[in-house]
Every structure is written in structure tokens, then in C-alpha cells.
Amino acid sequence: MDIPIEKLKEQLSTNDLKYEDWNSCFYKLKNTQKELQNLLEYASDIKKDEKKFKDLQRRLAGENATELIESLKRKGYVLKKELGDAFENMGYRLLEQTRAGKRDDVYYGILRIFVSNKRKFPDELVEVFKPIYSEEMFKVFIFSFLSGIIGKEQQTENKN
């Protein structure tokens, strides 16, 4: 469903706000940003001699990074039931390799877990290993994913 921005402006002027329209517009914008980032990746490969495309891709990747962090954490929580034990066994090694900035080793370790469990490697994780992201962002992404999949759920005890 395509919600033009003019319709939202009209809702504001008439004070007849429909949350569904605003929510739909928000998600359409987010999806368009992700699609543009993917297209910019191809454009920057085609126009390697023009730095402007790579710079624009980096700017958009930075803006989309916050959402990717949350998505990775959610993906970790979702995969915890199926792959939690495998990640628990490799967790500290992956954490240390991530801290040391060993992208190839981290990629291999995570990929091995997915392949050995006959699972598809998630698109969110593919994004993390793209060279567009700085070393620091890579670490934040992986730590977010691992915190979801190997993190302990806090249990509160009432000692009263």
C-alpha cells in the first residue's frame, strides 16, 4: 500500500490521523533505504573510480546501522532455541576473535555453525561482513548478535 506524504500532511491539517497510514509510510521508508543501500553497493562497484558513490553508500549504511544492530540482536534471540548450544560452545572464541578484529575467522566460525546445522546464513549477518563497515561497527554488530544468541536471560528473584 503506497501512502503518499501528501496524504499524511492532509491528515495533519484535518486532525484526522490514522496510525496505520503513518506506520505503513514509516516501514516503506525503511525498506526503501535498505534497497537504496543495496543499489549503491552495485553502483559503487560499477563506478569504482568515482568516490562519491562509495561515500554515499557509507553515509546510508551508517544511518541504517542502528536498525541493523537491533535486527541482529532479535535474530540472535530467535535462533537461540535451535542454535544456542552450538554458539554456547563457540561463544567465547567468537567473542575473542571479534575483539581482535579477525573478521575472516569470525565469519568462518559462524558460517560453520549454520552449515553444520543445515541452516541458511541470515542476510543480516551477510551485511555485517561487508567491507563498507568500520572495524568498530563490525564489532558492535557481532557483539549484538552474540548477546542475543548466547546471552543469559536475567531472572529476578524476590527475596522477601
Side-chain angles (χ1 to χ4, degrees):
M1 180 175 174
D2 190 21
I3 307 293
I5 203 78
E6 293 303 319
K7 184 175 181 180
L8 299 180
K9 288 178 183 179
E10 182 182 320
Q11 286 182 14
L12 280 173
S13 67
T14 62
N15 208 15
D16 182 26
L17 305 177
K18 295 182 177 86
Y19 174 78
E20 298 79 24
D21 292 345
W22 291 79
N23 193 45
S24 175
C25 189
F26 173 78
Y27 281 103
K28 184 170 179 56
L29 174 64
K30 286 295 173 192
N31 289 335
T32 301
Q33 282 183 309
K34 288 178 192 173
E35 188 174 354
L36 178 60
Q37 182 179 337
N38 290 335
L39 292 172
L40 277 168
E41 183 176 358
Y42 293 119
S44 64
D45 284 344
I46 292 169
K47 293 286 197 175
K48 290 181 195 286
D49 55 333
E50 290 187 41
K51 189 176 177 273
K52 294 183 282 187
F53 284 100
K54 189 61 95 175
D55 290 344
L56 188 56
Q57 181 191 6
R58 279 195 178 99
R59 283 179 33 212
L60 190 54
E63 288 186 24
N64 291 336
T66 301
E67 187 169 324
L68 182 56
I69 290 168
E70 289 302 316
S71 177
L72 287 163
K73 194 169 189 175
R74 284 191 305 270
K75 180 60 86 175
Y77 284 129
V78 167
L79 293 171
K80 187 175 185 119
K81 279 186 179 176
E82 298 172 50
L83 301 175
D85 289 341
F87 274 95
E88 190 76 36
N89 294 336
M90 289 281 298
Y92 290 110
R93 172 177 281 174
L94 290 169
L95 286 169
E96 184 56 31
Q97 290 171 335
T98 301
R99 186 197 62 73
K102 297 180 179 179
R103 285 187 191 216
D104 291 343
D105 293 341
V106 174
Y107 182 79
Y108 174 75
I110 294 174
L111 181 62
R112 194 172 89 192
I113 290 170
F114 279 93
V115 169
S116 66
N117 286 282
K118 296 177 176 71
R119 293 292 314 258
K120 179 185 177 290
F121 198 77
D123 292 338
E124 296 93 337
L125 282 172
V126 171
E127 183 68 26
V128 165
F129 291 96
K130 292 182 179 176
I132 192 78
Y133 297 107
S134 69
E135 191 74 25
E136 292 77 25
M137 284 308 302
F138 165 75
K139 291 176 183 180
V140 169
F141 291 148
I142 294 297
F143 289 150
S144 296
F145 174 71
L146 291 175
S147 73
I149 202 162
I150 64 175
K152 303 288 185 216
E153 293 180 27
Q154 292 181 343
Q155 296 178 353
T156 57
E157 293 181 14
N158 188 355
K159 295 185 179 184
N160 291 338

